[in-house]
Amino acid sequence: MPERAVWPTIPTGATRVAGVIGDPIRHSLSPALHNAAYAALGLDWVYVAFPVPAGSGAEAVGAMRTLDLAGLSVTMPHKQAAASAVDRLSPTAARLGVVNTVSWAASPEGELVGDSTDGPGFIDSLRGDEGFDPAGCRAVVLGAGGAARSVTLALAEARAASVVVIGRNPAAAEACAEVAGPFASAAIPDDLSAAITAADLVVNATPVGMGPGDGLPFGMDPDWLASCRFVADLIYSPARTPLLIEARARHVAAANGLGMLIHQAARQIEMWTGRLAPLDTMSAAALAALGRPT
Ligand code: NAP
């Protein structure tokens, strides 16, 4: 693969181009993460954000062939469209029905493969950054949207003893739990106290905590967290959500979603380039892009 003698240099005709499609996309941290990694690896690659409106996701995935893009990240609202536009799906993407990564197949040549690195990235972050192995743990996932589905499946694949999905929409919570098979079950917010006080790991997969006036998801009592071993919030901005603040106040280890974001990108980089992703460089780039101290 092409390498740069000195980086950054001005892209040439030999530069490989990768990117992300989404709408909105201009705020995305992915270009900062990927470009910092390519530079650290000395690769003559560049990663750009492509604003693609809803309804044009499949066409944009098809353009990967026309433009010979090296890889494509996919974010809202195109994750489902991308799943139907690729030639085949990884087992994880097939179970979820969504794709956040499009890569070229090793063989047969010319085939596009869709994968989903969000859930595995979450587990990598738990294990690698936080030293928490979810194997055997009783987990509660708050929320039943796309991120909750990815995390629920990943926790089941990481051999969590159980995963309880709590959603305000019972049908969505059931559907989310079904993705992970017999390891997961659904509950409604009325069951929150029993589920959380029995949990080792609590994961917030709702956006509650992003807004300035937000409290805890489902208005839960923070004292229920006291016997947890780990609390993970998938939100990464702000860095400290009310859930994380309350958990740490009770001496419960806790982390925001930045690690998941970095590790899902790291998996994409490793798939596309065949090189080990430089996690420290990516972390520094993410913190710099967010204006936080490194
Ligand atoms: P989504 O598909 O829209 O799902 C959001 C879920 O939260 C839905 O189940 C929704 O319920 C529920 N919800 C929304 N507002 C709620 C409230 N006030 N009370 C209780 N439940 C509420 O979004 P997503 O893509 O899964 O993202 C969820 C969160 O994860 C976001 O904060 C996102 O930034 C974060 N995330 C982080 C990463 C990362 O790499 N760190 C990756 C993906 C997502 P309804 O369906 O009833 O509205």
Side-chain angles (χ1 to χ4, degrees):
M1 73 198 50
E3 299 203 4
R4 291 178 200 239
V6 180
W7 207 99
T9 58
I10 295 169
T12 68
T15 303
R16 298 302 320 269
V17 180
V20 55
I21 58 167
D23 187 21
I25 200 62
R26 293 296 182 208
H27 66 288
S28 171
L29 284 184
S30 294
L33 289 171
H34 281 259
N35 286 318
Y38 303 159
L41 293 171
L43 295 174
D44 184 11
W45 283 45
V46 66
Y47 184 101
V48 290
F50 297 110
V52 172
S56 300
E59 210 180 321
V61 170
M64 186 168 159
R65 299 177 190 286
T66 318
L67 300 174
D68 191 27
L69 300 181
L72 205 56
S73 310
V74 180
T75 188
M76 300 304 291
H78 303 307
K79 289 184 170 186
Q80 280 180 323
S84 54
V86 293
D87 298 307
R88 68 193 151 85
L89 296 170
S90 71
T92 300
R95 283 180 84 165
L96 294 170
V98 295
V99 153
N100 82 337
T101 309
V102 185
S103 313
W104 293 102
S107 91
E109 219 171 281
E111 274 198 5
L112 293 179
V113 186
D115 203 347
S116 177
T117 61
D118 282 335
F122 172 71
I123 302 294
D124 290 346
S125 167
L126 266 190
R127 287 189 181 135
D129 302 339
E130 311 301 335
F132 182 89
D133 188 344
C137 86
R138 291 159 300 179
V140 169
V141 174
L142 306 173
R149 287 164 77 97
S150 299
V151 164
T152 299
L153 176 59
L155 284 168
E157 288 177 345
R159 301 183 186 284
S162 62
V163 188
V164 178
V165 180
I166 312 251
R168 59 183 178 181
N169 172 345
E174 283 289 348
C176 181
E178 264 169 32
V179 165
F183 295 97
S185 59
I188 53 169
D190 288 354
D191 301 333
L192 202 60
S193 157
I196 290 186
T197 52
D200 302 302
L201 170 68
V202 172
V203 183
N204 178 31
T206 77
V208 180
M210 291 178 89
D214 281 2
L216 270 58
F218 302 108
M220 61 189 268
D221 183 336
D223 283 335
W224 296 341
L225 298 168
S227 56
C228 289
R229 286 167 49 214
F230 201 88
V231 171
D233 204 324
L234 302 192
I235 295 169
Y236 56 83
S237 188
R240 285 186 295 272
T241 62
L243 181 70
L244 297 178
I245 291 166
E246 296 293 355
R248 289 180 183 133
R250 286 157 185 79
H251 308 290
V252 177
N256 67 36
L258 194 57
M260 171 176 171
L261 186 78
I262 292 167
H263 282 276
Q264 61 80 27
R267 283 184 170 250
Q268 296 181 332
I269 289 163
E270 289 171 7
M271 279 184 218
W272 297 342
T273 70
R275 303 276 296 273
L276 211 56
L279 291 169
D280 289 345
T281 300
M282 294 170 70
S283 177
L287 292 172
L290 288 165
R292 292 181 198 157
T294 50

